[in-house]
Amino acid sequence: MNADELTTPASAGTPAVTGERADLLEVLTKHRYFLRFTTRDLTDEQAGLRTTAGELCLGGLIKHVAAVERGWVDFILEGPSAMTDFADMTEADLTRRENEFRMLPGDTLAGVLDDYAEVARRTDDLIATLPDLDAAWPLPKAPWFEPGARWSARRVLLHIVAETAQHAGHADIIRESLDGAKSMG
């Protein structure tokens, strides 16, 4: 990853927006930057290393954040049919989810970052162009969602921001454990 990739927001091609949408884009872009920044100057092998007692690695975290963001954008556009109810998940679904957290054979850091950039562009375009941030869908069934709850597009986007920020913090810890590098400070 070069310096231009770190400083160019994913929303560079997105139409100019103001107000709430501009705020969402700004905060999301900032947390994406910190997540991506944790991988600077790493090899594919280093991106796949577990450096803490947990199962997480930097490349896997970025794969996971990209998959989550992609899934929630699908939810905004398609509703609950875009997501599987937790009780209906198959072994293949669970394995696919577990593999989101790992660098698999054939995965490269550049490929993971490129996929994440494409997901980010799609989300940024949606934030700029979605007709109504209040449009809501019922959530899929899962133990972590209140039964019968509905989330608006706005609520989903706030969830994407929170998920990205949380995992950027995880990534910073993993990177510091790897070689002492920090995102800040």
Side-chain angles (χ1 to χ4, degrees), residues 72-83:
W72 280 112
V73 167
D74 289 346
F75 175 82
I76 289 171
L77 295 170
E78 302 166 26
S81 65
M83 300 177 135

Side-chain angles (χ1 to χ4, degrees), residues 10-49:
S11 59
T14 302
V17 295
T18 59
E20 175 183 26
R21 292 169 192 259
D23 291 344
L24 285 167
L25 285 169
E26 181 182 342
V27 172
L28 187 52
T29 297
K30 172 185 164 186
H31 291 297
R32 286 181 185 140
Y33 167 83
F34 284 122
L35 179 58
R36 292 175 61 92
F37 187 66
T38 62
T39 66
R40 69 196 178 283
D41 304 322
L42 293 182
T43 65
D44 294 338
E45 181 183 11
Q46 289 171 312
L49 291 176

Side-chain angles (χ1 to χ4, degrees), residues 25 91 95 181:
L25 285 169
E91 284 299 317
T95 299

Side-chain angles (χ1 to χ4, degrees), residues 12 25 54 81 94-95 97-98 105 115 148 181:
L25 285 169
S81 65
L94 294 171
T95 299
R97 180 167 162 66
E98 287 173 11
D115 180 59

Side-chain angles (χ1 to χ4, degrees), residues 111-126:
V112 167
L113 290 169
D114 287 347
D115 180 59
Y116 186 39
E118 184 58 38
V119 168
R121 277 188 290 279
R122 178 180 179 229
T123 303
D124 292 353
D125 288 344
L126 180 69

